[in-house]
Amino acid sequence: MMYCVTVIFEVRAGDFEGFATRTRQQADDSLSAEPGCLTFDVWTSASRLGIVYLYEIYTDRQAFDNHLRSTHFAAFDKEVAPRVLSKTVETWERKI
């Protein structure tokens, strides 16, 4: 069963470009190092400045749990935390 994670970050003013660059690197790291990570898209919108939307698909919940335990995720999380005003995470499972 596929497992989907969406994350919405609100980024501090002045930190957006650095945050976006680091998040794109995290996406590349996840896709190259994690066989269970199938999709890791980073989205932004010109009408919602300061917002970054992540759309991630994993083979299953275990693959996502492995992602959370990875050293590259820990480094990313620590590095970007000071740049984040808010973070909303939702998880989804394919049922149909």
Side-chain angles (χ1 to χ4, degrees):
M1 178 181 308
M2 303 286 254
Y3 194 75
C4 178
V5 179
T6 59
V7 185
I8 298 174
F9 288 100
E10 181 182 3
V11 181
R12 292 185 185 282
D15 285 336
F16 183 80
E17 285 306 317
F19 180 88
T21 297
R22 182 61 181 90
T23 303
R24 284 189 293 270
Q25 181 61 54
Q26 173 63 9
D28 291 344
D29 292 347
S30 298
L31 289 166
S32 66
E34 301 174 36
C37 181
L38 305 177
T39 301
F40 196 125
D41 290 339
V42 181
W43 296 84
T44 60
S45 169
S47 66
R48 295 183 70 195
L49 300 177
I51 302 296
V52 175
Y53 177 82
L54 306 184
Y55 177 76
E56 307 169 38
I57 298 178
Y58 298 86
T59 53
D60 54 24
R61 174 62 197 241
Q62 182 64 45
F64 177 64
D65 290 342
N66 292 342
H67 167 75
L68 295 177
R69 288 190 293 269
S70 70
T71 56
H72 63 91
F73 174 79
F76 166 78
D77 197 44
K78 182 178 179 180
E79 186 177 330
V80 301
R83 298 174 172 174
V84 175
L85 294 171
S86 68
K87 176 181 173 181
T88 304
V89 179
E90 292 185 349
T91 59
W92 310 83
E93 293 179 15
R94 179 178 281 169
K95 297 289 186 182
I96 43 178

